[in-house]
Amino acid sequence: MRAILTYHSVDESGSPISVSGAAFEAHRRWLTSGVVRTQAVGDLLANPETAQDAVAVTFDDGFLNAKVPIELLLEAGITPTLFVVTRHVGGANDWGGRDQPGIPRLPLMTWDDLGNLSARGLRIEAHSRTHPRLSRLSPAQLDDELGGCCEDLRSRLGVRSTCLAYPYGDVSSAVAARAANWFVYGLTTEMSPLHANRERMLQPRLDMYYYQAPRAMESWGSAGFKARLHLIALRRRLKAGVRARDR
């Protein structure tokens, strides 16, 4: 099984964007055990026909508390990818100037932090300029959020972004088409392994929030693992449907 793994914050709050330090350490041991091959996300997506088990590790938003976990992965020879919200670099995750219910307000890495990690091998990619719901934006606003984010990364870090992680996983056909003007791949929040016939701008990821129990990753690729993943994905779709209905 091949998949992209996603982290946000590594903290003890138990929030929906958080993975505990102990859970991350268990994941790190599994990732470095040699049981599964690890690749940078762009490399994994560029070879969809390969049958060998493999994962890519990604972090969204650029939380300061992810800096040490990223360093530990780099030291172990794993190349993670970090999706950056460029106009919040050095600030906090108060997207739109507002705190989010149930989500801790946490500091984000600075440009110096990002530059140092990039020099050590971290892949840095785009997560928009301000973390909006992209499907609610006009074409001009989309261009600013996506093309502008690419320009920020190029001018501040010398990075050419080829992958976009959609904020909140919010993507429509119009957003995906617009994003294809700048990016080779678009990454969603759909809970699914990778498939060779997947549309390149709608790539799924596995949120590691759901794999914090002891030994949660050790059945990777088994029928039981896939059955539980299917159940998680179904529950998420049902919750999303309820939220949409109640708006």
Side-chain angles (χ1 to χ4, degrees):
M1 190 170 79
R2 295 155 55 80
I4 302 169
L5 314 182
T6 304
Y7 296 90
H8 291 77
S9 176
V10 181
D11 70 70
E12 308 306 314
S13 71
S15 85
I17 66 162
S18 304
V19 168
S20 71
F24 177 81
E25 177 57 22
H27 296 169
R28 186 190 67 82
R29 289 196 300 269
W30 176 77
L31 287 164
T32 58
S33 68
V35 172
V36 66
R37 188 164 56 113
T38 63
Q39 292 182 280
V41 67
D43 298 335
L44 183 66
L45 291 171
N47 297 286
E49 303 295 340
T50 303
Q52 183 179 359
D53 283 357
V55 298
V57 181
T58 67
F59 290 79
D60 283 8
D61 303 331
F63 288 104
L64 183 60
N65 61 36
K67 183 171 180 286
V68 170
I70 287 170
E71 290 172 338
L72 290 172
L73 293 175
L74 290 170
E75 289 169 5
I78 293 171
T79 303
T81 298
L82 175 61
F83 292 94
V84 174
V85 183
T86 54
R87 286 193 172 166
H88 282 258
V89 171
N93 60 320
D94 50 351
W95 319 128
R98 297 183 300 274
D99 291 340
Q100 304 167 80
I103 304 295
R105 186 179 187 276
L106 297 166
L108 304 176
M109 292 186 223
T110 66
W111 287 111
D112 284 345
D113 292 327
L114 297 174
N116 291 335
L117 289 171
S118 179
R120 295 179 60 179
L122 175 68
R123 303 284 179 90
I124 296 180
E125 300 283 0
H127 199 33
S128 79
R129 272 183 157 169
T130 65
H131 207 284
R133 292 191 177 275
L134 297 176
S135 66
R136 300 177 183 177
L137 302 185
S138 69
Q141 290 171 321
L142 272 176
D143 290 346
D144 180 67
E145 285 288 344
L146 303 183
C149 182
C150 288
E151 177 56 27
D152 294 341
L153 294 176
R154 187 201 62 77
S155 63
R156 297 300 299 257
L157 300 174
V159 167
R160 181 183 180 275
S161 180
T162 60
C163 298
L164 168 70
Y166 302 106
Y168 308 106
D170 181 40
V171 56
S172 64
S173 57
V175 169
R178 203 85 183 182
N181 291 329
W182 291 281
F183 305 102
V184 178
Y185 302 108
L187 279 63
T188 71
T189 57
E190 179 188 349
M191 288 285 292
S192 172
L194 295 172
H195 300 287
N197 60 352
R198 175 71 62 161
E199 212 291 313
R200 67 181 178 87
M201 297 306 298
L202 297 173
Q203 299 292 334
R205 295 189 286 174
L206 306 188
D207 192 330
M208 300 309 289
Y209 167 81
Y210 297 97
Y211 296 95
Q212 298 189 67
R215 305 174 67 85
M217 300 301 291
E218 295 188 15
S219 61
W220 176 263
S222 68
F225 189 96
K226 291 176 181 177
R228 183 169 182 270
L229 172 56
H230 177 75
L231 182 59
I232 293 168
L234 177 60
R235 288 174 175 170
R236 281 165 58 102
R237 287 195 297 270
L238 290 173
K239 286 182 180 179
V242 169
R243 286 195 297 267
R245 184 195 65 199
D246 291 343
R247 286 195 188 111

